Amino acid sequence: MPSDPPPAWVLTRRQTIGARVRAAREAAGLTQEALGALAGIDHKTVHRIEYALSDPSLTMLLRIAKAVGVPLAQLVKE
């Protein structure tokens, strides 16, 4: 049974979080491949998170925040 698409506000928040992940990665001087290696996730997953194509788990966001050296709150704050 297909699930309904998320509401527009969820997609907007996902885009905001993805942009923050990308900015933090770039500020840390990391490529998507390097961030993926540090966070223990595939670089394609990093790309999908940055471009709001996937819904990252809390664990993924925690790993990314640690890898780029920022608090999780900086990535997900309103």
Side-chain angles (χ1 to χ4, degrees), residues 6-44:
W9 68 267
V10 171
L11 296 174
T12 300
R13 289 288 296 138
R14 199 186 292 171
Q15 290 170 336
T16 301
I17 292 168
R20 288 182 183 149
V21 168
R22 185 170 45 257
R25 174 181 60 78
E26 290 172 348
L30 299 172
T31 62
Q32 289 179 346
E33 292 83 2
L35 174 54
L38 287 171
I41 57 177
D42 186 72
H43 74 277
K44 292 177 185 177

Side-chain angles (χ1 to χ4, degrees), residues 55-70:
D55 195 4
S57 69
L58 177 58
T59 299
M60 277 190 223
L61 291 172
L62 287 165
R63 288 177 169 191
I64 289 168
K66 182 174 181 174
V68 297
V70 300

